[in-house]
Amino acid sequence: MLKSTDHCIIVGAGHAAAQLCASLRQHGWAGRLTFIGDEPVLPYHRPPLSKTYFKPQDDSGQSPELQWIRPEAFYQDHAIERRLGQPVESIDRDAKTVRLGDETLVYDALVLATGSIHRRPPIEGIDHPRVFSLRTAQDADAIRDSLPEAKHAAVIGAGFIGLEVAASLRTLGLGVTVFEMADRVLARVTGEATSGYYEALHRGHGVDLRTSASVSAIRENNGRLSLMTGDNMACEADFVIVGAGAQPNQMLAFDAGLDCDNGILVDEHNRTSDGSVFAIGDCCNQYHPMYGTRLRIESIQNATDQGKALAAVLAGAPTPKIGLPWFWSDQYDVKLQIAGLSTGYDRCIARGEPEPGATFSLWYLKAGRLIAVDAMNDPRSYVIASKLIPKGAEPDPELIADPTQDLKPLLTSPSVAS
Amino acid sequence: MAKITYIQTDGTAVEVEATDGTLMTAAVANQVAGIEGECGGVCSCATCHLHVDPDWAERVGPANDVEEMMLELDDDYSETSRLGCQVPITPELDGLSVRVAESC
């Protein structure tokens, strides 16, 4: 628990850091609070970067601006010090200091909210200046700057970022080719029916979607980029976006000797192997009681919830229980909402027909228990699932599979009482 | 310009003057307790649940289909429940009063 004379330093300026700042002040802790970000701007909403950020606004034709998580006045009013555009270079845990440039800052509590970094697969030509990643506003601006001249884009990787970008660019009228190594899209995070739904959705919108296709090289020819699969020229594009997954941004912690294993290892209070150092958000790896295993979750919900939970720990307030993971993805006119994590499921039940644009949901069970639901244009199933999963409910599969049946009775049925 | 009054769950009121955005963005910008807007305003998280003053319900209008499905099973659902992110601020809303839902 922090004293009022303590200095709390947060390394990072994303969703988790912004939430921690807000929640610490909401709990009434008034000590010195500083966050340090390597990007030059205040914490902003990251999800729109792959969704609405490329699309000109309706009336003015102007591009959307970054959406701040909190306005600048919030940080001023609450005496939250900002160090932006200043990467932390190292941590000295014995002296309790962090170093940035020529400066050394002393902390009493240090919070690592360093997020994740994109994977860059070892493809020849991946360092070409028109091969983009998409994690930061700067990345999104670079892509946006190349749009006016572009007719065709290639996307490597059909995870959420890749598919959201493909949908955004297709909606703007660009031709889009998507390459996915696996035999289906979203293979890492969803079951086959959800993958099938999205494959049909994108193909229906004219995306050239190629699964089981590995790009081996990207070569510039007469100003355009040629993407090779094996020895074949697979497509020509004006630019390429790589969405090949992310990994924890844990180098700073690792170099400081903190325990890391697919993320910075933290306990139930987000404490690392050093009692004065904490980690929250995408960069950390924590035991999840609902799933009985350690998890590193890349999501807004997780970043926000861990920011709130750590604030309670540091302010000496009761800590909220670790909540249900949830995710969303907007592509074309389809809203996907995911409740829970489907990893380890042994049965999958489809509710409705997985036709593009239809109301459809996929329910994942493990030993009879509901562990996750993908809901496409089906917020009702999403809401019901997010109430059932934390209770360890074992819903009747026949009821779920029949879309003419109302699911609300599940919320009061005996299977929920467990 | 519209003046909006948010009644927080502890009963205190926050008065806000806004010209654009939504009931969610105006609340976040003015630090109304309980309004989070975690998803950034795309009707995905239901952390901006408000009860519209019944006298204003007609002018504000009903929830859209997706919004209604996000709200209807909420423990603090009412007939005038709205998600703040789905209500654009217009001059017609000048004087509106909304109450932050208990579940937020």
Side-chain angles (χ1 to χ4, degrees):
Chain A
M1 186 175 158
L2 295 171
K3 298 192 292 289
S4 61
T5 51
D6 281 348
H7 185 195
C8 176
I9 295 182
I10 305 167
V11 183
H15 289 262
Q19 185 63 50
L20 176 60
C21 289
S23 295
L24 273 174
R25 292 311 193 213
Q26 269 165 17
H27 284 299
W29 180 70
R32 187 174 171 205
L33 180 57
T34 303
F35 69 87
I36 307 169
D38 50 8
E39 292 179 68
V41 290
L42 286 173
Y44 57 90
H45 282 278
R46 232 173 259 276
L49 297 185
S50 53
K51 303 179 181 81
T52 51
Y53 193 68
F54 300 126
K55 194 175 169 184
Q57 283 169 331
D58 302 337
D59 37 6
S60 60
Q62 282 217 321
S63 299
E65 293 175 356
L66 286 179
Q67 193 182 342
W68 308 125
I69 294 176
R70 306 268 169 176
E72 171 123 48
F74 171 82
Y75 302 100
Q76 282 164 7
D77 292 350
H78 290 87
I80 298 163
E81 296 173 36
R82 287 88 66 203
R83 299 301 194 96
L84 301 172
Q86 295 179 296
V88 170
E89 284 148 37
S90 62
I91 302 165
D92 182 338
R93 294 197 288 122
D94 293 328
K96 290 196 173 182
T97 58
V98 295
R99 194 162 62 81
L100 45 163
D102 297 334
E103 208 178 353
T104 301
L105 298 178
V106 182
Y107 65 81
D108 297 289
L110 179 68
V111 181
L112 301 174
T114 48
S116 50
I117 46 180
H118 46 253
R119 286 182 205 278
R120 298 284 282 184
I123 296 171
E124 178 195 327
I126 195 141
D127 293 325
H128 190 282
R130 275 184 283 132
V131 178
F132 303 113
S133 293
L134 181 48
R135 190 181 71 83
T136 64
Q138 197 181 2
D139 296 333
D141 286 338
I143 294 168
R144 204 153 75 172
D145 288 347
S146 36
L147 291 177
E149 307 290 319
K151 289 190 170 56
H152 199 99
V155 176
I156 297 176
F160 284 121
I161 297 281
L163 290 185
E164 287 172 2
V165 169
S168 298
L169 298 179
R170 193 66 203 107
T171 304
L172 291 175
L174 269 73
V176 178
T177 305
V178 177
F179 295 91
E180 168 56 49
M181 273 168 60
D183 61 357
R184 59 188 176 93
V185 306
L186 299 173
R188 212 166 47 88
V189 282
T190 70
E192 284 179 26
T194 299
S195 298
Y197 186 103
Y198 278 93
E199 287 164 6
L201 179 68
H202 279 272
R203 287 185 172 130
H205 279 91
V207 169
D208 179 3
L209 172 62
R210 305 187 194 183
T211 51
S212 305
S214 281
V215 174
S216 52
I218 304 164
R219 293 181 188 138
E220 184 171 341
N221 282 325
N222 300 321
R224 300 196 85 204
L225 298 175
S226 301
L227 283 85
M228 313 292 291
T229 52
D231 293 331
N232 303 316
M233 218 275 279
C235 100
E236 278 202 332
D238 299 294
F239 64 90
V240 179
I241 296 174
V242 181
Q247 54 199 23
N249 187 7
Q250 62 184 23
M251 278 312 288
L252 201 57
F254 185 81
D255 288 346
L258 296 168
D259 293 346
C260 297
D261 180 8
N262 180 30
I264 305 163
L265 297 178
V266 296
D267 68 9
E268 69 273 26
H269 294 133
N270 287 91
R271 198 182 299 267
T272 68
S273 51
D274 177 327
S276 301
V277 184
F278 303 81
I280 52 176
D282 285 19
C283 69
C284 80
N285 185 314
Q286 185 181 46
Y287 180 81
H288 199 296
M290 217 177 278
Y291 291 93
T293 184
R294 276 194 165 275
L295 295 170
R296 190 180 69 78
I297 300 174
E298 294 166 6
S299 76
I300 301 303
Q301 164 272 328
N302 181 62
T304 307
D305 283 359
Q306 290 188 335
K308 288 178 189 171
L310 179 57
V313 168
L314 294 176
T319 45
K321 275 206 288 191
I322 294 176
L324 178 73
W326 55 263
F327 311 84
W328 81 91
S329 175
D330 294 325
Q331 298 171 39
Y332 309 105
D333 54 354
V334 175
K335 173 179 287 300
L336 169 65
Q337 293 167 289
I338 300 178
L341 293 168
S342 58
T343 312
Y345 69 92
D346 53 32
R347 188 170 177 191
C348 220
I349 301 162
R351 180 173 169 84
E353 295 297 325
E355 288 158 7
T359 292
F360 175 74
S361 58
L362 192 61
W363 298 60
Y364 301 86
L365 304 182
K366 185 178 182 182
R369 273 193 171 198
L370 183 66
I371 57 169
V373 169
D374 303 334
M376 282 135 272
N377 285 344
D378 190 3
R380 190 171 281 138
S381 287
Y382 166 77
V383 172
I384 289 171
S386 45
K387 289 177 182 287
L388 291 175
I389 298 166
K391 294 175 176 167
E394 300 183 7
D396 176 5
E398 281 184 31
L399 182 70
I400 292 171
D402 182 354
T404 65
Q405 295 274 334
D406 185 7
L407 294 181
K408 277 184 215 166
L410 285 175
L411 294 173
T412 48
S413 70
S415 68
V416 174
S418 59
Chain B
M1 174 76 75
K3 192 157 103 182
I4 316 281
T5 304
Y6 296 83
I7 315 289
Q8 302 175 119
T9 52
D10 65 359
T12 57
V14 178
E15 287 196 350
V16 166
E17 287 187 348
T19 49
D20 55 9
T22 64
L23 289 181
M24 182 277 284
T25 59
V28 170
N30 291 279
Q31 302 160 41
V32 174
I35 296 299
E36 310 273 359
E38 284 181 18
C39 75
V42 296
C43 203
S44 287
C45 70
T47 59
C48 59
H49 181 181
L50 297 163
H51 301 287
V52 174
D53 181 334
D55 291 346
W56 282 83
E58 207 165 307
R59 262 172 288 179
V60 173
N64 63 50
D65 290 350
V66 170
E67 188 185 349
E68 182 64 21
M69 285 188 266
M70 292 294 288
L71 285 166
E72 65 185 354
L73 293 172
D74 193 282
D75 293 339
D76 191 22
Y77 175 74
S78 76
E79 280 187 8
T80 65
S81 283
R82 293 294 312 262
L83 289 176
C85 69
Q86 300 300 301
V87 183
I89 288 182
T90 59
E92 290 72 41
L93 296 188
D94 186 32
L96 171 68
S97 169
V98 292
R99 193 163 50 78
V100 177
E102 292 290 338
S103 45
C104 274

